[in-house]
Amino acid sequence: MSLPTTNSPDTTLDSLGSAAARATLRAHPSRGYVQIEPPVEPMPRLSKELGGAVELFVKRDDLLPLAGGGSKTRKLDYLVQQALDSGADTLVTCGAVQSNHCRLTASAAAREGLGCHLVLEERVAGSYSPEAGGNNYVFALLGAKTQVVPLGGVDAAVAALMEELKAAGATPYYIPGGGSNALGALGYARAAISVVEEARKAGRPFDAVVLCSGSGGTHAGMLTGLRACGDQTKVYGVSVRFDAAKQKSRIEAQYKECAKLFGNEAPEEDVVIIDSQVGPGYSLPTPEMRSAVEAFAKLEGILLDPVYTGKGAAGLLQLVREGAFQPGARVLFLHTGGAPSLFHYQPVPDDAAAARFDRREVIGPGFVAELSGESTTRE
């Protein structure tokens, strides 16, 4: 179903409480990368494996346009438009060595005929290899120029690069890591508005949203869009890098800036962070992440990535197992993409993927399920 773009008139949604929010979006021009909303799909087999008391759904933002899809397309929709409006001929951004954001920025630059420079931060010592596959391979394929810096070296490298490009006669535009500022977060405010509209039309709203909480724009934007529609659905942000206190502070700051664009407040209590899936650190594997990646693949045919959505999904499974949702609850998981990096990290060993799938790792203690069966019983 084709939804209105940010620049199109919208006079049909007043009864859903989202017309005013759409009007705010129209005040900010976009490139129109997102012409058709990705689907919300039920996850019946995963729901059943978890006991069947909670209905799980997934918003397939991994299917968004630009190379390989993913959440950053929504942010770049607004940020690239601003870059072009400012007369820029080069995009500059930063991210980790397998950054999904950098991949999509390079894709947008190629589409628009812009130069692209990526500053890649080696957040885990020794994790970068110029021969690496995954997103690293795609950076070069899309024509982006890259430089690698150690942890903490991004700001100085970006500042020097911007000056170097200007001295060479270029007009660079800097996009923050993850595309996460108030303007970029508008992309997820728009996504939230669409989720609310579709749920209200169907007469079946969601009781909770679970998403990855990284650079912050997705989390802040979802909260902003929901509240702009008068929707108080709880949003659980599963941190992939920082502890709960630090990540909450980061999200609160972005939430306040994005909410201002809608003339709204940003209550601190709206920001809920789950930090139990960070594990030993950013991009480092955990058993829970591996189990979640395997569960989504084998039960729903959906690929996750090990850095973001794998840990986000692990947080979702944890919340269900621990009884965070009432029986009958409808819970939406936001799939923000990242599958191209799966082929670099390969988090599930080949022998495990081929030889066994122990569902007890997915559904947790108290349940037993055989691979060949479809039923789930309590021990």
Side-chain angles (χ1 to χ4, degrees):
M1 178 180 65
S2 179
L3 294 178
T5 66
T6 52
N7 295 308
S8 63
D10 183 356
T11 59
T12 63
L13 300 168
D14 295 37
S15 63
L16 301 176
S18 56
R22 287 276 182 189
T24 297
L25 291 179
R26 290 198 298 276
H28 300 274
S30 73
R31 293 301 293 156
Y33 294 151
V34 185
Q35 291 293 322
I36 299 175
E37 274 295 318
V40 170
E41 298 176 348
M43 294 193 287
R45 298 192 69 216
L46 183 58
S47 300
K48 190 174 183 178
E49 287 300 330
L50 289 161
V54 175
E55 287 186 83
L56 299 179
F57 298 80
V58 57
K59 176 70 169 173
R60 297 295 304 273
D61 274 14
D62 57 314
L63 303 179
L64 283 165
L66 299 181
S71 59
K72 306 307 186 287
T73 296
R74 292 190 184 273
K75 302 175 185 180
L76 292 166
D77 208 3
Y78 291 91
L79 294 166
V80 174
Q81 182 67 63
Q82 186 178 74
L84 293 171
D85 289 344
S86 70
D89 57 19
T90 305
L91 300 181
V92 175
T93 196
C94 60
V97 295
Q98 282 285 334
S99 169
N100 298 307
H101 165 67
C102 286
R103 164 175 47 84
L104 288 166
T105 300
S107 178
R111 179 167 174 166
E112 303 290 354
L114 303 174
C116 184
H117 289 256
L118 308 175
V119 177
L120 305 178
E121 183 180 41
E122 192 178 43
R123 295 174 183 171
V124 177
S127 62
Y128 176 73
S129 168
E131 290 80 33
N135 285 325
N136 183 70
Y137 170 75
V138 179
F139 299 156
L141 185 64
L142 293 168
K145 296 180 180 179
T146 62
Q147 61 175 291
V148 182
V149 299
L151 180 66
V154 167
D155 290 347
V158 166
L161 176 59
M162 293 289 284
E163 290 305 313
E164 177 184 333
L165 289 169
K166 291 175 184 176
T171 306
Y173 176 91
Y174 176 63
I175 296 174
S180 291
N181 59 16
L183 182 62
L186 276 181
Y188 267 94
R190 178 184 173 191
I193 293 165
S194 295
V195 167
V196 170
E197 289 170 354
E198 291 179 18
R200 288 177 178 172
K201 285 177 183 176
R204 302 194 69 190
F206 293 105
D207 298 291
V209 175
V210 179
L211 48 75
C212 303
S213 191
S215 59
T218 299
H219 193 168
M222 282 294 290
L223 282 171
T224 298
L226 290 172
R227 302 304 183 256
C229 293
D231 187 299
Q232 297 302 312
T233 300
K234 190 170 185 177
V235 177
Y236 293 85
V238 182
S239 179
V240 299
R241 187 177 183 187
F242 299 115
D243 63 52
K246 182 171 183 177
Q247 186 67 359
K248 181 176 172 65
S249 176
R250 296 172 75 246
I251 301 303
E252 285 172 354
Q254 292 190 51
Y255 180 26
K256 288 176 182 177
E257 291 304 308
C258 193
K260 284 179 184 178
L261 300 178
F262 290 81
N264 293 336
E265 299 295 323
E268 293 181 358
E269 58 269 23
D270 280 355
V271 180
V272 178
I273 302 294
I274 307 296
D275 64 2
S276 56
Q277 301 302 324
V278 174
Y282 177 83
S283 82
L284 298 177
T286 65
E288 295 81 7
M289 175 277 292
R290 290 190 178 103
S291 180
V293 168
E294 207 170 353
F296 269 66
K298 286 191 165 71
L299 292 175
E300 298 295 345
I302 295 173
L303 298 181
L304 304 177
D305 84 287
V307 180
Y308 293 97
T309 51
K311 289 187 174 182
L316 169 69
L317 300 184
Q318 175 195 356
L319 288 165
V320 174
R321 286 196 300 263
E322 293 180 351
F325 312 118
Q326 294 294 319
R330 290 163 50 85
V331 178
L332 180 66
F333 177 69
L334 178 60
H335 188 340
T336 51
S341 71
L342 181 67
F343 308 112
H344 167 70
Y345 289 104
Q346 299 183 34
V348 180
D350 289 345
D351 58 345
R356 64 109 187 119
F357 175 42
D358 187 348
R359 289 180 175 172
R360 285 171 295 182
E361 293 183 10
V362 180
I363 59 181
F367 291 94
V368 174
E370 297 298 330
L371 180 58
S372 59
E374 291 300 324
S375 62
T376 302
T377 57
R378 290 186 181 274
E379 285 185 324

